Amino acid sequence: MAAPNSSLRKPVFIKVDQLRPGTAGHTLTVKVVSSKVVLQKARPDGNQVRHVRIAECIVGDDTGVIVFTARNEQVDLMKEGVTVVLRNAKIDMFKGSMRLAVDKWGRVELTEPANFVVKEDNNLSLVEYELVNVVDE
């Protein structure tokens, strides 16, 4: 059990429009605008069969929306209209655009319905980024 004055940090909640490529450790509250399963297959894993499910969800807040890649158990939580808290989320790049994801080090939690209107006309996943290598001379 941690001591009351231990070094646990309180999470700093950020908004969708503050997300940038290559960043991680984000905590944000978002509403699920839509969710679509894009992959559902069984993979043999030793003696048992492991089911792999991936859904692409549009999530957002009052500053914008972004594509969230939900994996396995996360797919069940990401129902249209629910509000979730994404803890320790990271930005993955897919074909030059940002995708939000939560891996095994993070959590997706259902929370109270948010009282904001999602700003759907600012989709950060539609912004294309180009990787530029900078050479020091």
Side-chain angles (χ1 to χ4, degrees):
M1 193 76 184
N5 59 355
S6 69
S7 61
L8 285 178
R9 294 184 304 147
K10 267 193 138 5
V12 176
F13 283 80
I14 67 164
K15 295 289 189 178
V16 169
D17 69 347
Q18 295 174 287
L19 297 170
R20 298 290 175 260
T23 57
H26 305 298
T27 301
L28 54 164
T29 302
V30 292
K31 240 186 235 184
V32 180
V33 176
S34 67
S35 180
K36 182 177 80 176
V37 175
V38 292
L39 177 72
Q40 190 160 355
K41 67 178 184 179
R43 265 193 10 221
D45 185 19
N47 294 339
Q48 64 256 47
V49 175
R50 214 173 76 187
H51 293 279
V52 176
R53 290 185 305 157
I54 296 178
E56 287 187 344
C57 314
I58 302 289
V59 299
D61 59 19
D62 53 352
T63 65
V65 293
I66 191 166
V67 174
F68 174 76
T69 306
R71 300 182 194 295
N72 302 323
E73 301 81 32
Q74 296 172 355
V75 174
D76 300 326
L77 298 173
M78 303 304 284
K79 301 268 187 270
E80 195 171 313
V82 301
T83 303
V84 293
V85 174
L86 305 176
R87 297 190 187 277
N88 203 21
K90 62 180 179 149
I91 295 292
D92 287 332
M93 297 305 288
F94 178 74
K95 294 183 179 173
S97 68
M98 293 194 302
R99 302 283 175 98
L100 194 58
V102 173
D103 60 14
K104 65 182 179 180
W105 305 111
R107 285 174 54 186
V108 177
E109 304 167 346
L110 289 175
T111 188
E112 297 295 314
N115 58 357
F116 54 73
V117 176
V118 176
K119 184 176 182 181
E120 293 185 50
D121 61 353
N122 183 20
N123 188 337
L124 272 67
S125 291
L126 294 179
V127 177
E128 220 172 283
Y129 291 87
E130 190 175 328
L131 179 64
V132 178
N133 291 323
V134 178
V135 180
D136 289 336
E137 295 194 22

